[in-house]
Amino acid sequence: MVRICMHIVKYNIKKWKQNYNILLGLIYLLIISDMMFRPARKIVEQLGFSPNISSFSLIWNSTFFILLFFLGVILFYSDAPFQDSMTSFVMIRCGKIKFMIAQICYIFLLGILIPGVFFLIQYIFLLPTEADGWGKFWGTIAQTNIAEEAECRLQFDYHILWEYEPKEAFIITFFTCIFLTTITGLFIYLFSLFQMKTLGICLISLFIILPSVVDTLNYTTFYWISPYSWICLDTTAKEYNGILPSVSYTFLMLFLITIVLILSIILRIKKGKESLMV
């Protein structure tokens, strides 16, 4: 079964040449990255020193960027349920269950590749020195209004720098990003199996917009039900404090959401009477 799944995943990857959504998604990531990091590069020139570490774990404190990034993730999965003229033949040869498991594996692969590619993009756009600790650059941005003056959206509270070690912050945000990216793909894929992909995209878009709404309302209770807010270290507590969702809570909930979506997809395949071809 592993070999069959690998062949189907490879076939999906080969289709990138015909499916322009992947190329458009990459171009979109480059555009929003340039928009976010161009002011930050001006701050580097103004201060005269570069950041010690990459901006990956800190950029998610901008709800505007969360909105832009995950709307772009939808673009990568917009060709769900990843079917073409060969799908019927492949499904007959390997069976529906194996075929759909392979598609789920493909969604997970994209869920890892998209954050990985963005990490490389942001690393190049704002090159760090790789020195120890957060360094003066991020400390200056956190404690002064220099980012606001430069119209840079890389703004965050200083408590993040003393609560988290750089590697710790990166691991938390990177794996949260993988979870959220994968969940986005699974959600769209599930609705596409019911021939309701447009509705699925609309619903997931509402969840993506929710962090901006919650941030505007400034009502902490809503953070518990806003999954896309959980990637922000400013609104996610390192340990349970009774006010904000903790890191352990967010990972548990993201894991459960992923499992529920996978089981829903499998259940749809097993009990669906109508054709899965859309």
Side-chain angles (χ1 to χ4, degrees):
M1 189 175 85
V2 175
R3 184 179 295 179
I4 293 173
C5 290
M6 287 181 63
H7 279 301
I8 296 174
V9 170
K10 287 180 181 178
Y11 179 71
N12 283 341
I13 294 173
K14 289 179 180 178
K15 289 193 295 182
W16 289 357
K17 296 178 181 178
Q18 291 81 34
N19 297 337
Y20 294 106
N21 62 305
I22 300 295
L23 177 60
L24 290 173
L26 291 173
I27 294 172
Y28 177 82
L29 285 182
L30 288 170
I31 292 172
I32 63 173
S33 296
D34 179 65
M35 181 184 69
M36 290 295 294
F37 295 116
R38 188 181 299 175
R41 292 195 296 271
K42 292 180 180 179
I43 295 176
V44 171
E45 295 176 2
Q46 183 178 345
L47 294 176
F49 49 82
S50 299
N52 282 18
I53 62 162
S54 75
S55 62
F56 188 91
S57 56
L58 300 171
I59 195 170
W60 308 106
N61 291 283
S62 168
T63 55
F64 179 67
F65 183 75
I66 292 175
L67 173 66
L68 291 179
F69 180 84
F70 286 104
L71 287 178
V73 169
I74 291 177
L75 183 58
F76 283 94
Y77 291 110
S78 61
D79 60 334
F82 321 117
Q83 297 178 359
D84 59 14
S85 58
M86 292 293 293
T87 300
S88 296
F89 173 75
V90 175
M91 198 178 293
I92 292 170
R93 289 291 302 271
C94 67
K96 287 183 179 179
I97 298 297
K98 291 180 181 178
F99 180 81
M100 295 304 167
I101 289 175
Q103 302 292 46
I104 290 172
C105 290
Y106 174 69
I107 291 171
F108 270 92
L109 177 64
L110 278 181
I112 296 171
L113 286 178
I114 295 170
V117 169
F118 172 66
F119 172 78
L120 293 175
I121 291 173
Q122 61 85 36
Y123 191 94
I124 294 170
F125 274 54
L126 192 62
L127 282 171
T129 61
E130 294 297 340
D132 294 331
W134 289 105
K136 291 192 297 182
F137 181 83
W138 297 122
T140 301
I141 287 183
Q143 297 178 84
T144 66
N145 63 346
I146 190 171
E148 185 177 351
E149 291 175 354
E151 297 182 347
C152 176
R153 292 184 179 273
L154 274 168
Q155 301 176 33
F156 52 91
D157 290 333
Y158 186 72
H159 74 87
I160 294 174
L161 304 187
W162 54 261
E163 279 186 8
Y164 297 92
E165 292 294 326
K167 289 182 179 179
E168 182 183 30
F170 170 74
I171 290 172
I172 291 171
T173 52
F174 188 74
F175 279 97
T176 303
C177 189
I178 290 175
F179 264 117
L180 291 172
T181 304
T182 304
I183 286 170
T184 303
L186 290 172
F187 193 88
I188 294 172
Y189 185 71
L190 175 62
F191 273 78
S192 70
L193 293 179
F194 288 95
Q195 302 184 21
M196 295 189 295
K197 183 167 68 175
T198 302
L199 176 61
I201 290 175
C202 291
L203 289 175
I204 202 68
S205 297
L206 289 177
F207 280 102
I208 292 171
I209 295 169
L210 192 57
S212 297
V213 176
V214 173
D215 185 60
T216 302
L217 295 174
N218 197 25
Y219 191 55
T220 57
T221 303
F222 286 116
Y223 286 118
W224 293 81
I225 57 172
S226 176
Y228 290 91
S229 297
W230 299 341
I231 196 171
C232 173
L233 295 178
D234 191 35
T235 55
T236 304
K238 189 174 182 179
E239 297 178 356
Y240 178 73
N241 60 11
I243 301 173
L244 294 170
S246 64
V247 172
S248 58
Y249 167 84
T250 60
F251 275 111
L252 175 61
M253 292 304 297
L254 290 171
F255 176 76
L256 291 177
I257 292 170
T258 303
I259 295 299
V260 168
L261 287 172
I262 291 174
L263 291 177
S264 299
I265 290 170
I266 295 173
L267 198 63
R268 162 71 183 118
I269 297 162
K270 285 187 174 182
K271 294 189 176 182
K273 293 180 181 179
E274 61 271 22
S275 173
L276 293 178
M277 292 295 295
V278 295

Short mmCIF file of all heavy atoms in Angstrom, two decimals, residues 225-278:
data_model
loop_
_atom_site.label_atom_id
_atom_site.label_comp_id
_atom_site.label_asym_id
_atom_site.label_seq_id
_atom_site.Cartn_x
_atom_site.Cartn_y
_atom_site.Cartn_z
N ILE A 225 -11.43 29.56 20.64
CA ILE A 225 -12.15 28.94 19.52
C ILE A 225 -11.68 29.50 18.17
O ILE A 225 -12.37 29.38 17.16
CB ILE A 225 -13.67 29.15 19.66
CG1 ILE A 225 -14.00 30.64 19.76
CG2 ILE A 225 -14.21 28.39 20.86
CD1 ILE A 225 -15.49 30.95 19.72
N SER A 226 -10.51 30.11 18.16
CA SER A 226 -9.95 30.68 16.93
C SER A 226 -8.63 29.98 16.60
O SER A 226 -7.56 30.47 16.96
CB SER A 226 -9.73 32.19 17.11
OG SER A 226 -9.10 32.75 15.98
N PRO A 227 -8.69 28.84 15.91
CA PRO A 227 -7.48 28.03 15.67
C PRO A 227 -6.34 28.79 15.00
O PRO A 227 -5.16 28.58 15.33
CB PRO A 227 -7.98 26.91 14.76
CG PRO A 227 -9.44 26.81 15.05
CD PRO A 227 -9.88 28.20 15.33
N TYR A 228 -6.66 29.69 14.06
CA TYR A 228 -5.61 30.40 13.35
C TYR A 228 -4.95 31.48 14.21
O TYR A 228 -3.92 32.03 13.81
CB TYR A 228 -6.15 30.99 12.04
CG TYR A 228 -6.47 29.93 11.01
CD1 TYR A 228 -7.74 29.37 10.94
CD2 TYR A 228 -5.50 29.46 10.13
CE1 TYR A 228 -8.04 28.37 10.01
CE2 TYR A 228 -5.78 28.47 9.20
CZ TYR A 228 -7.06 27.93 9.15
OH TYR A 228 -7.34 26.94 8.23
N SER A 229 -5.54 31.76 15.37
CA SER A 229 -4.89 32.68 16.33
C SER A 229 -3.81 31.96 17.13
O SER A 229 -2.96 32.63 17.74
CB SER A 229 -5.94 33.25 17.29
OG SER A 229 -6.89 34.03 16.62
N TRP A 230 -3.84 30.64 17.14
CA TRP A 230 -2.95 29.88 18.02
C TRP A 230 -1.49 29.90 17.57
O TRP A 230 -0.61 29.50 18.32
CB TRP A 230 -3.44 28.44 18.14
CG TRP A 230 -4.82 28.33 18.72
CD1 TRP A 230 -5.47 29.27 19.45
CD2 TRP A 230 -5.72 27.23 18.62
NE1 TRP A 230 -6.72 28.84 19.82
CE2 TRP A 230 -6.91 27.57 19.32
CE3 TRP A 230 -5.65 25.97 18.02
CZ2 TRP A 230 -8.00 26.73 19.43
CZ3 TRP A 230 -6.75 25.11 18.11
CH2 TRP A 230 -7.91 25.49 18.82
N ILE A 231 -1.24 30.36 16.35
CA ILE A 231 0.14 30.45 15.87
C ILE A 231 0.82 31.71 16.40
O ILE A 231 2.04 31.85 16.33
CB ILE A 231 0.18 30.42 14.34
CG1 ILE A 231 1.59 30.12 13.84
CG2 ILE A 231 -0.37 31.71 13.74
CD1 ILE A 231 1.66 29.84 12.35
N CYS A 232 0.03 32.62 16.94
CA CYS A 232 0.55 33.88 17.48
C CYS A 232 1.00 33.67 18.92
O CYS A 232 0.20 33.34 19.79
CB CYS A 232 -0.52 34.95 17.39
SG CYS A 232 -0.07 36.50 18.19
N LEU A 233 2.28 33.90 19.20
CA LEU A 233 2.82 33.69 20.54
C LEU A 233 2.32 34.73 21.54
O LEU A 233 2.38 34.51 22.75
CB LEU A 233 4.35 33.72 20.49
CG LEU A 233 5.03 32.61 19.69
CD1 LEU A 233 6.54 32.80 19.69
CD2 LEU A 233 4.67 31.23 20.25
N ASP A 234 1.84 35.85 21.04
CA ASP A 234 1.35 36.91 21.92
C ASP A 234 -0.01 36.57 22.52
O ASP A 234 -0.35 37.04 23.60
CB ASP A 234 1.27 38.23 21.15
CG ASP A 234 1.04 39.41 22.06
OD1 ASP A 234 1.57 39.40 23.19
OD2 ASP A 234 0.32 40.34 21.65
N THR A 235 -0.78 35.73 21.82
CA THR A 235 -2.12 35.38 22.30
C THR A 235 -2.23 33.90 22.67
O THR A 235 -3.34 33.39 22.82
CB THR A 235 -3.18 35.72 21.22
OG1 THR A 235 -2.84 35.07 19.99
CG2 THR A 235 -3.24 37.23 21.00
N THR A 236 -1.09 33.24 22.78
CA THR A 236 -1.05 31.84 23.23
C THR A 236 -0.08 31.76 24.40
O THR A 236 1.09 32.12 24.27
CB THR A 236 -0.58 30.91 22.09
OG1 THR A 236 -1.45 31.07 20.97
CG2 THR A 236 -0.61 29.46 22.54
N ALA A 237 -0.56 31.30 25.53
CA ALA A 237 0.27 31.24 26.74
C ALA A 237 1.20 30.03 26.69
O ALA A 237 0.82 28.96 26.19
CB ALA A 237 -0.62 31.17 27.97
N LYS A 238 2.38 30.21 27.21
CA LYS A 238 3.34 29.10 27.26
C LYS A 238 2.83 27.99 28.17
O LYS A 238 2.98 26.81 27.87
CB LYS A 238 4.70 29.61 27.76
CG LYS A 238 5.82 28.58 27.65
CD LYS A 238 7.15 29.19 28.01
CE LYS A 238 8.28 28.17 27.86
NZ LYS A 238 9.59 28.77 28.20
N GLU A 239 2.22 28.39 29.27
CA GLU A 239 1.59 27.45 30.20
C GLU A 239 0.19 27.96 30.53
O GLU A 239 -0.10 29.15 30.39
CB GLU A 239 2.43 27.31 31.47
CG GLU A 239 3.81 26.72 31.22
CD GLU A 239 4.63 26.63 32.50
OE1 GLU A 239 4.13 27.11 33.55
OE2 GLU A 239 5.75 26.10 32.46
N TYR A 240 -0.66 27.07 30.98
CA TYR A 240 -2.06 27.44 31.26
C TYR A 240 -2.14 28.54 32.31
O TYR A 240 -1.55 28.45 33.38
CB TYR A 240 -2.83 26.21 31.74
CG TYR A 240 -4.27 26.50 32.10
CD1 TYR A 240 -5.22 26.75 31.11
CD2 TYR A 240 -4.68 26.55 33.44
CE1 TYR A 240 -6.54 27.03 31.44
CE2 TYR A 240 -6.00 26.83 33.77
CZ TYR A 240 -6.92 27.07 32.77
OH TYR A 240 -8.22 27.35 33.10
N ASN A 241 -2.87 29.62 31.97
CA ASN A 241 -3.04 30.73 32.92
C ASN A 241 -4.50 31.09 33.17
O ASN A 241 -4.79 32.05 33.87
CB ASN A 241 -2.28 31.97 32.43
CG ASN A 241 -2.76 32.46 31.07
OD1 ASN A 241 -3.79 32.02 30.55
ND2 ASN A 241 -2.00 33.37 30.48
N GLY A 242 -5.41 30.32 32.57
CA GLY A 242 -6.83 30.55 32.77
C GLY A 242 -7.41 31.66 31.92
O GLY A 242 -8.63 31.89 31.95
N ILE A 243 -6.57 32.36 31.19
CA ILE A 243 -7.04 33.48 30.37
C ILE A 243 -6.90 33.16 28.88
O ILE A 243 -7.86 33.25 28.11
CB ILE A 243 -6.28 34.77 30.71
CG1 ILE A 243 -6.46 35.12 32.20
CG2 ILE A 243 -6.74 35.92 29.83
CD1 ILE A 243 -5.61 36.28 32.65
N LEU A 244 -5.67 32.80 28.48
CA LEU A 244 -5.39 32.49 27.08
C LEU A 244 -5.16 31.00 26.90
O LEU A 244 -4.72 30.31 27.83
CB LEU A 244 -4.14 33.26 26.61
CG LEU A 244 -4.26 34.78 26.55
CD1 LEU A 244 -2.89 35.40 26.31
CD2 LEU A 244 -5.24 35.21 25.46
N PRO A 245 -5.43 30.46 25.70
CA PRO A 245 -5.14 29.04 25.44
C PRO A 245 -3.64 28.78 25.54
O PRO A 245 -2.83 29.60 25.10
CB PRO A 245 -5.65 28.82 24.02
CG PRO A 245 -5.70 30.18 23.41
CD PRO A 245 -6.01 31.13 24.51
N SER A 246 -3.27 27.67 26.15
CA SER A 246 -1.86 27.33 26.32
C SER A 246 -1.35 26.59 25.09
O SER A 246 -2.13 26.12 24.25
CB SER A 246 -1.67 26.46 27.56
OG SER A 246 -2.34 25.22 27.39
N VAL A 247 -0.04 26.48 24.98
CA VAL A 247 0.58 25.76 23.86
C VAL A 247 0.14 24.30 23.85
O VAL A 247 -0.18 23.74 22.79
CB VAL A 247 2.12 25.85 23.94
CG1 VAL A 247 2.78 24.94 22.90
CG2 VAL A 247 2.58 27.29 23.74
N SER A 248 0.07 23.68 25.02
CA SER A 248 -0.35 22.27 25.10
C SER A 248 -1.80 22.12 24.64
O SER A 248 -2.15 21.15 23.94
CB SER A 248 -0.19 21.74 26.52
OG SER A 248 -0.93 22.52 27.45
N TYR A 249 -2.65 23.08 25.00
CA TYR A 249 -4.06 23.04 24.57
C TYR A 249 -4.17 23.16 23.05
O TYR A 249 -4.92 22.41 22.40
CB TYR A 249 -4.83 24.18 25.24
CG TYR A 249 -6.20 24.44 24.64
CD1 TYR A 249 -7.31 23.70 25.04
CD2 TYR A 249 -6.39 25.44 23.66
CE1 TYR A 249 -8.57 23.93 24.49
CE2 TYR A 249 -7.64 25.67 23.11
CZ TYR A 249 -8.72 24.92 23.52
OH TYR A 249 -9.96 25.15 22.97
N THR A 250 -3.42 24.10 22.48
CA THR A 250 -3.51 24.33 21.03
C THR A 250 -3.05 23.11 20.24
O THR A 250 -3.69 22.73 19.26
CB THR A 250 -2.70 25.56 20.61
OG1 THR A 250 -1.32 25.37 20.95
CG2 THR A 250 -3.21 26.80 21.31
N PHE A 251 -1.94 22.49 20.68
CA PHE A 251 -1.46 21.31 19.95
C PHE A 251 -2.43 20.14 20.08
O PHE A 251 -2.65 19.40 19.12
CB PHE A 251 -0.07 20.91 20.44
CG PHE A 251 1.04 21.65 19.76
CD1 PHE A 251 1.81 22.57 20.44
CD2 PHE A 251 1.31 21.44 18.41
CE1 PHE A 251 2.83 23.26 19.81
CE2 PHE A 251 2.32 22.11 17.77
CZ PHE A 251 3.09 23.04 18.46
N LEU A 252 -3.01 19.98 21.25
CA LEU A 252 -3.99 18.91 21.45
C LEU A 252 -5.21 19.13 20.56
O LEU A 252 -5.68 18.20 19.88
CB LEU A 252 -4.43 18.85 22.92
CG LEU A 252 -5.55 17.85 23.25
CD1 LEU A 252 -5.12 16.42 22.92
CD2 LEU A 252 -5.96 17.97 24.71
N MET A 253 -5.72 20.36 20.52
CA MET A 253 -6.89 20.66 19.72
C MET A 253 -6.59 20.54 18.23
O MET A 253 -7.42 20.02 17.46
CB MET A 253 -7.40 22.07 20.04
CG MET A 253 -7.98 22.22 21.44
SD MET A 253 -9.32 21.03 21.76
CE MET A 253 -10.52 21.55 20.55
N LEU A 254 -5.43 20.99 17.79
CA LEU A 254 -5.06 20.86 16.39
C LEU A 254 -4.94 19.40 15.98
O LEU A 254 -5.35 19.02 14.87
CB LEU A 254 -3.73 21.60 16.12
CG LEU A 254 -3.79 23.12 16.19
CD1 LEU A 254 -2.39 23.71 16.12
CD2 LEU A 254 -4.64 23.68 15.05
N PHE A 255 -4.40 18.58 16.86
CA PHE A 255 -4.29 17.15 16.60
C PHE A 255 -5.68 16.52 16.48
O PHE A 255 -5.94 15.74 15.55
CB PHE A 255 -3.48 16.48 17.72
CG PHE A 255 -3.39 14.98 17.58
CD1 PHE A 255 -2.52 14.40 16.66
CD2 PHE A 255 -4.17 14.15 18.38
CE1 PHE A 255 -2.44 13.03 16.52
CE2 PHE A 255 -4.09 12.78 18.25
CZ PHE A 255 -3.22 12.21 17.32
N LEU A 256 -6.57 16.88 17.40
CA LEU A 256 -7.92 16.32 17.38
C LEU A 256 -8.69 16.76 16.14
O LEU A 256 -9.42 15.97 15.53
CB LEU A 256 -8.68 16.74 18.65
CG LEU A 256 -8.19 16.11 19.96
CD1 LEU A 256 -8.97 16.68 21.14
CD2 LEU A 256 -8.33 14.59 19.92
N ILE A 257 -8.54 18.03 15.75
CA ILE A 257 -9.21 18.53 14.55
C ILE A 257 -8.73 17.77 13.32
O ILE A 257 -9.52 17.38 12.44
CB ILE A 257 -8.96 20.04 14.37
CG1 ILE A 257 -9.67 20.83 15.48
CG2 ILE A 257 -9.47 20.52 13.00
CD1 ILE A 257 -9.28 22.29 15.53
N THR A 258 -7.42 17.52 13.26
CA THR A 258 -6.85 16.77 12.14
C THR A 258 -7.41 15.36 12.08
O THR A 258 -7.80 14.88 11.00
CB THR A 258 -5.30 16.70 12.27
OG1 THR A 258 -4.77 18.03 12.34
CG2 THR A 258 -4.69 15.98 11.08
N ILE A 259 -7.48 14.69 13.23
CA ILE A 259 -8.02 13.33 13.29
C ILE A 259 -9.48 13.30 12.87
O ILE A 259 -9.91 12.42 12.10
CB ILE A 259 -7.86 12.75 14.71
CG1 ILE A 259 -6.38 12.59 15.07
CG2 ILE A 259 -8.57 11.40 14.82
CD1 ILE A 259 -5.61 11.67 14.16
N VAL A 260 -10.27 14.26 13.36
CA VAL A 260 -11.70 14.32 13.01
C VAL A 260 -11.88 14.50 11.51
O VAL A 260 -12.74 13.85 10.89
CB VAL A 260 -12.40 15.45 13.79
CG1 VAL A 260 -13.80 15.71 13.23
CG2 VAL A 260 -12.48 15.11 15.27
N LEU A 261 -11.09 15.36 10.90
CA LEU A 261 -11.19 15.60 9.46
C LEU A 261 -10.82 14.35 8.66
O LEU A 261 -11.49 14.00 7.68
CB LEU A 261 -10.30 16.77 9.05
CG LEU A 261 -10.79 18.16 9.47
CD1 LEU A 261 -9.73 19.21 9.17
CD2 LEU A 261 -12.09 18.52 8.75
N ILE A 262 -9.76 13.66 9.09
CA ILE A 262 -9.33 12.44 8.39
C ILE A 262 -10.41 11.36 8.50
O ILE A 262 -10.76 10.70 7.51
CB ILE A 262 -8.00 11.92 8.96
CG1 ILE A 262 -6.86 12.89 8.60
CG2 ILE A 262 -7.68 10.53 8.42
CD1 ILE A 262 -5.53 12.55 9.25
N LEU A 263 -10.95 11.18 9.70
CA LEU A 263 -12.01 10.18 9.90
C LEU A 263 -13.26 10.54 9.10
O LEU A 263 -13.93 9.65 8.55
CB LEU A 263 -12.35 10.07 11.39
CG LEU A 263 -11.27 9.45 12.29
CD1 LEU A 263 -11.71 9.47 13.75
CD2 LEU A 263 -10.93 8.03 11.85
N SER A 264 -13.58 11.82 9.01
CA SER A 264 -14.73 12.26 8.23
C SER A 264 -14.54 11.95 6.75
O SER A 264 -15.49 11.54 6.06
CB SER A 264 -14.96 13.76 8.42
OG SER A 264 -15.23 14.07 9.77
N ILE A 265 -13.32 12.13 6.27
CA ILE A 265 -13.02 11.82 4.86
C ILE A 265 -13.17 10.32 4.60
O ILE A 265 -13.79 9.90 3.62
CB ILE A 265 -11.59 12.29 4.51
CG1 ILE A 265 -11.53 13.81 4.48
CG2 ILE A 265 -11.15 11.72 3.16
CD1 ILE A 265 -10.14 14.38 4.37
N ILE A 266 -12.62 9.52 5.50
CA ILE A 266 -12.71 8.06 5.34
C ILE A 266 -14.16 7.60 5.41
O ILE A 266 -14.60 6.74 4.63
CB ILE A 266 -11.85 7.35 6.40
CG1 ILE A 266 -10.37 7.67 6.17
CG2 ILE A 266 -12.08 5.84 6.37
CD1 ILE A 266 -9.45 7.15 7.25
N LEU A 267 -14.91 8.17 6.35
CA LEU A 267 -16.32 7.82 6.50
C LEU A 267 -17.11 8.20 5.25
O LEU A 267 -17.99 7.45 4.80
CB LEU A 267 -16.90 8.55 7.72
CG LEU A 267 -18.21 8.01 8.29
CD1 LEU A 267 -18.04 6.59 8.80
CD2 LEU A 267 -18.73 8.91 9.39
N ARG A 268 -16.80 9.34 4.68
CA ARG A 268 -17.46 9.77 3.45
C ARG A 268 -17.20 8.78 2.31
O ARG A 268 -18.09 8.45 1.53
CB ARG A 268 -16.95 11.16 3.08
CG ARG A 268 -17.20 11.57 1.64
CD ARG A 268 -18.66 11.83 1.38
NE ARG A 268 -18.87 12.15 -0.02
CZ ARG A 268 -19.60 11.44 -0.86
NH1 ARG A 268 -20.22 10.35 -0.45
NH2 ARG A 268 -19.74 11.81 -2.11
N ILE A 269 -15.97 8.29 2.24
CA ILE A 269 -15.60 7.35 1.18
C ILE A 269 -16.32 6.02 1.35
O ILE A 269 -16.83 5.43 0.40
CB ILE A 269 -14.08 7.13 1.17
CG1 ILE A 269 -13.36 8.44 0.86
CG2 ILE A 269 -13.69 6.06 0.15
CD1 ILE A 269 -11.91 8.44 1.25
N LYS A 270 -16.38 5.54 2.60
CA LYS A 270 -16.98 4.24 2.85
C LYS A 270 -18.49 4.24 2.70
O LYS A 270 -19.08 3.28 2.20
CB LYS A 270 -16.60 3.76 4.26
CG LYS A 270 -15.18 3.27 4.39
CD LYS A 270 -14.94 2.66 5.75
CE LYS A 270 -13.56 2.02 5.84
NZ LYS A 270 -13.34 1.38 7.17
N LYS A 271 -19.14 5.31 3.14
CA LYS A 271 -20.60 5.33 3.17
C LYS A 271 -21.23 6.14 2.05
O LYS A 271 -22.45 6.11 1.88
CB LYS A 271 -21.09 5.88 4.52
CG LYS A 271 -20.74 4.96 5.69
CD LYS A 271 -21.41 5.41 6.96
CE LYS A 271 -21.12 4.43 8.10
NZ LYS A 271 -21.82 4.82 9.34
N GLY A 272 -20.40 6.85 1.30
CA GLY A 272 -20.95 7.67 0.23
C GLY A 272 -21.48 6.80 -0.90
O GLY A 272 -20.77 5.96 -1.45
N LYS A 273 -22.72 6.99 -1.24
CA LYS A 273 -23.33 6.18 -2.27
C LYS A 273 -23.08 6.77 -3.66
O LYS A 273 -22.93 6.06 -4.64
CB LYS A 273 -24.86 6.08 -2.03
CG LYS A 273 -25.20 5.31 -0.77
CD LYS A 273 -26.70 5.24 -0.56
CE LYS A 273 -27.04 4.48 0.72
NZ LYS A 273 -28.50 4.42 0.94
N GLU A 274 -23.06 8.10 -3.74
CA GLU A 274 -22.85 8.72 -5.03
C GLU A 274 -21.38 8.67 -5.40
O GLU A 274 -20.53 8.43 -4.57
CB GLU A 274 -23.35 10.18 -5.06
CG GLU A 274 -22.65 11.09 -4.06
CD GLU A 274 -23.36 11.08 -2.73
OE1 GLU A 274 -24.07 10.12 -2.43
OE2 GLU A 274 -23.15 12.06 -1.99
N SER A 275 -21.09 8.94 -6.64
CA SER A 275 -19.72 8.88 -7.14
C SER A 275 -18.86 9.93 -6.46
O SER A 275 -19.30 11.04 -6.18
CB SER A 275 -19.70 9.10 -8.65
OG SER A 275 -18.38 9.21 -9.13
N LEU A 276 -17.61 9.58 -6.25
CA LEU A 276 -16.66 10.52 -5.64
C LEU A 276 -16.02 11.39 -6.72
O LEU A 276 -15.29 12.33 -6.40
CB LEU A 276 -15.57 9.76 -4.88
CG LEU A 276 -16.04 9.01 -3.64
CD1 LEU A 276 -14.87 8.26 -3.02
CD2 LEU A 276 -16.68 9.93 -2.63
N MET A 277 -16.29 11.09 -7.94
CA MET A 277 -15.74 11.91 -9.03
C MET A 277 -16.52 13.22 -9.10
O MET A 277 -17.75 13.22 -9.05
CB MET A 277 -15.86 11.16 -10.36
CG MET A 277 -14.98 9.94 -10.43
SD MET A 277 -13.23 10.34 -10.38
CE MET A 277 -13.06 11.23 -11.89
N VAL A 278 -15.80 14.33 -9.18
CA VAL A 278 -16.46 15.63 -9.24
C VAL A 278 -15.98 16.39 -10.46
O VAL A 278 -14.98 16.06 -11.04
CB VAL A 278 -16.17 16.46 -7.96
CG1 VAL A 278 -16.78 15.77 -6.76
CG2 VAL A 278 -14.69 16.66 -7.76
#
